[in-house]
Amino acid sequence: MTLPRQQQINRQRNGHVLVWDQNGLNEIFEDTKPRCFQKRFFVTFMLFLGMANAYVMRTNMSVAIVAMVNHTAITDGHDDIFDDECPNSNLTEVIPFGMLAKRYGALRFLGYGMLINSVFAFFVPIAARRGGAWGLSVIRFIQGLGEGPIVPCTHALLAKWIPPNERSRMGAAVYAGAQFGTIISMPLSGLLAEYGFDGGWPSIFYVFGAVGTIWSVAFIIWVYEDPCSHPTIGEREKKYINNSLWGTNEMKIPSIPFRTIAKSLPFYAILLAHMGHNYGYETLMTELPTYMKQVLRFSLKSNGLLSSLPYLAMWLFSLFISVVADWMITSERFSHTSTRKIMNSIGQYGPGIALIAASYTGCDRVLTLAILTVGVGLNGGIYSGFKINHLDITPRFAGVLMAITNCSANLAGLLAPIAAGNLIDNQPTIAQWSKVFFIAAAVYIICGTIFNIFGSGKRQPWDNPENDHINDNHEAQRHNSSGPVTIVPASPEKTKQ
């Protein structure tokens, strides 16, 4: 018999479908309704907390360093430099990890990596006091190695746990942990630096190191690599996830087609979009607290609180827009390709325009913060844009692809504070900071445009989607007991991408 029309439509949706007509199949879909707590939701929640912990460890240094330079050996002998234009106020990831995760599993690399990151946070104050800049750099380097697996391994786990029609909102929920972590880190770091124990700023690393250690242990114990290895997952949910993704109960992964990937324009579109985003985002994340202190003249306590407002906006907006993105796809009004490009345009053009506008606000603190808050908030669109696009074009190699793009993007992100430091060069004027903002805006807009030209939401041939069809036929023959099943493959001409 021929598959029902709805299953034929599903076959055309980005290559991820249910491919055999099995008795009770509707019950599998019925079981996916959130009438009870599903295991994939718990995995999403734990990954969200892991991403939040990772960004806490990143952003707490940007606040702590302001207090640290006045109390440790990390100083060059000069006093802090301020811009006197504005009056004072009274306001008080890496390629090797993707490869290893593919071969040995993403779970352990993520869990143990974050455990290393968290434990070494306890050594930051000791290194800063006794080892100076070099000692601190060594500890932070080790923390960076521990944090390296977070993004590629998260992508690899999402590829195994999240069905295509839930990707935008689940992916955004996980990666929005970055903003949640920033929101938590900046104000609490400011308060701990002001009132914390052991001299204030060291308590930042003690407190967040303890939280990260607890999460890492819980993650290693309670989260599993994939639905098949989970001992207590319901059979219906397991079948729903696996059949939605691969058409079978197992994920078949051939060798990585590096040569073909190297010729793929959709891959380069993601790569450049990722690099452009990291440059702009790091400009804001690492330089915003300094800008607020040197130019807008906020106190340390207010600095941490007000610096977190843009990331609160980004967190909330990313959750909202991800639901819209999934609706755009499931309603069939938009293809995967057009949805990703629209979302990414919001996520990269928005902050680019905001950075340009912020260059003309002068000493108007309220207007500057409002513009930056809106701009960073719109940046949340990238989670339903290029950030989740790896899963669209290559669900089998999403973790590896994310490792490549994330490693390159982190290198691009390193250029942001270097460029800002060279442009400011002990002259923190509004004019100099405007140059920093203009460069970041240009990078955002150019990279977003490249993604719009060459990006795609279509599953690429080098992901070996034909393996699904082979496995689908085996499953159809094994599960159908009433007669032969005719498999209707997706037609390239009819597939809406």
Side-chain angles (χ1 to χ4, degrees):
M1 62 180 174
T2 303
L3 287 176
R5 180 177 180 275
Q6 183 59 46
Q7 289 183 311
Q8 296 183 32
I9 293 174
N10 286 343
R11 164 62 74 189
Q12 298 174 1
R13 288 183 181 172
N14 208 33
H16 303 88
V17 293
L18 291 163
V19 295
W20 39 268
D21 187 14
Q22 179 184 357
N23 292 334
L25 188 60
N26 289 334
E27 295 180 3
I28 296 176
F29 276 96
E30 189 69 23
D31 188 63
T32 64
K33 295 182 180 180
R35 63 188 181 194
C36 60
F37 193 73
Q38 305 281 320
K39 300 300 181 183
R40 66 186 185 278
F41 299 155
F42 178 72
V43 172
T44 299
F45 177 67
M46 290 298 288
L47 289 173
F48 160 79
L49 293 180
M51 194 64 62
N53 272 303
Y55 272 77
V56 162
M57 295 300 182
R58 287 189 185 185
T59 57
N60 59 17
M61 180 59 77
S62 65
V63 176
I65 195 69
V66 179
M68 191 185 300
V69 293
N70 294 324
H71 299 286
T72 72
I74 306 176
T75 177
D76 57 4
H78 296 282
D79 294 332
D80 289 336
I81 300 175
F82 293 90
D83 178 27
D84 59 4
E85 294 174 274
C86 298
N88 202 359
S89 67
N90 293 323
L91 296 175
T92 60
E93 297 298 26
V94 259
I95 295 176
F97 290 118
M99 299 282 294
L100 293 171
K102 175 182 176 293
R103 181 164 185 174
Y104 300 107
L107 179 71
R108 291 180 179 176
F109 283 100
L110 199 163
Y112 287 112
M114 283 302 298
L115 183 61
I116 292 172
N117 188 355
S118 302
V119 170
F120 272 84
F122 293 101
F123 297 102
V124 170
I126 299 174
R129 286 167 170 165
R130 298 184 180 180
W134 283 106
L136 179 62
S137 297
V138 170
I139 295 299
R140 292 295 285 180
F141 177 77
I142 295 174
Q143 284 190 283
L145 289 178
E147 188 183 318
I150 183 73
V151 174
C153 290
T154 293
H155 238 51
L157 288 172
L158 287 174
K160 298 174 184 177
W161 276 97
I162 306 302
N165 63 320
E166 299 176 1
R167 276 185 190 149
S168 294
R169 58 184 182 273
M170 293 296 195
V174 169
Y175 286 108
Q179 280 63 58
F180 182 78
T182 304
I183 294 165
I184 295 297
S185 173
M186 284 190 166
L188 287 184
S189 294
L191 290 172
L192 288 170
E194 194 88 12
Y195 305 112
F197 55 91
D198 194 23
W201 66 264
S203 61
I204 296 174
F205 301 98
Y206 298 143
V207 171
F208 291 129
V211 172
T213 300
I214 294 172
W215 174 86
S216 300
V217 173
F219 182 82
I220 293 169
I221 294 174
W222 291 331
V223 177
Y224 291 83
E225 184 72 28
D226 52 46
C228 292
S229 63
H230 201 295
T232 62
I233 189 173
E235 189 65 25
R236 290 178 177 177
E237 184 186 7
K238 181 169 70 173
K239 285 184 177 180
Y240 166 67
I241 295 172
N242 287 328
N243 285 293
S244 294
L245 292 173
W246 318 111
T248 69
N249 278 333
E250 283 189 51
M251 175 183 177
K252 308 296 184 183
I253 303 182
S255 59
I256 305 172
F258 283 114
R259 291 185 179 180
T260 313
I261 292 175
K263 301 176 183 177
S264 173
L265 287 178
F267 160 68
Y268 286 109
I270 296 174
L271 175 66
L272 292 175
H274 202 160
M275 293 174 69
H277 163 73
N278 269 40
Y279 184 94
Y281 188 78
E282 291 296 329
T283 297
L284 291 171
M285 188 175 72
T286 62
E287 300 304 320
L288 184 58
T290 303
Y291 174 74
M292 294 180 70
K293 181 182 180 182
Q294 292 182 341
V295 179
L296 299 186
R297 309 290 291 275
F298 286 118
S299 70
L300 178 62
K301 182 178 179 181
S302 297
N303 194 346
L305 176 62
L306 295 174
S307 294
S308 68
L309 291 180
Y311 305 102
L312 174 61
M314 186 176 180
W315 179 44
L316 295 176
F317 182 74
S318 65
L319 297 179
F320 163 74
I321 203 68
S322 66
V323 176
V324 175
D326 274 343
W327 171 83
M328 291 170 66
I329 294 172
T330 56
S331 68
E332 300 183 14
R333 290 179 171 85
F334 299 87
S335 66
H336 276 78
T337 299
S338 59
T339 299
R340 299 305 179 216
K341 290 181 177 181
I342 291 171
M343 295 295 107
N344 200 69
S345 294
I346 295 172
Q348 295 202 291
Y349 293 160
I353 294 172
L355 283 167
I356 294 173
S359 301
Y360 294 99
T361 57
C363 295
D364 191 327
R365 298 178 177 87
V366 175
L367 182 58
T368 302
L369 273 177
I371 291 175
L372 290 176
T373 298
V374 172
V376 176
L378 292 175
N379 196 202
I382 60 105
Y383 294 123
S384 298
F386 82 82
K387 198 85 170 188
I388 207 69
N389 193 219
H390 307 72
L391 298 178
D392 295 324
I393 69 172
T394 175
R396 280 191 167 88
F397 307 112
V400 175
L401 217 66
M402 174 56 86
I404 297 172
T405 65
N406 192 59
C407 178
S408 303
N410 283 337
L411 293 176
L414 290 176
L415 298 176
I418 294 174
N422 288 329
L423 286 170
I424 301 304
D425 192 24
N426 294 327
Q427 298 178 11
T429 63
I430 293 176
Q432 293 301 106
W433 274 103
S434 294
K435 295 178 183 178
V436 174
F437 291 157
F438 264 101
I439 292 175
V443 172
Y444 262 133
I445 294 172
I446 292 172
C447 292
T449 301
I450 292 174
F451 183 84
N452 284 339
I453 296 173
F454 299 109
S456 174
K458 184 178 180 180
R459 189 176 180 186
Q460 298 301 294
W462 42 265
D463 191 59
N464 295 296
E466 65 275 5
N467 284 6
D468 291 349
H469 298 278
I470 295 173
N471 292 324
D472 293 343
N473 285 309
H474 291 322
E475 289 291 333
Q477 295 172 7
R478 184 162 63 89
H479 289 281
N480 182 61
S481 58
S482 59
V485 175
T486 301
I487 303 298
V488 182
S491 171
E493 291 78 12
K494 294 182 180 181
T495 301
K496 184 180 180 184
Q497 299 294 348

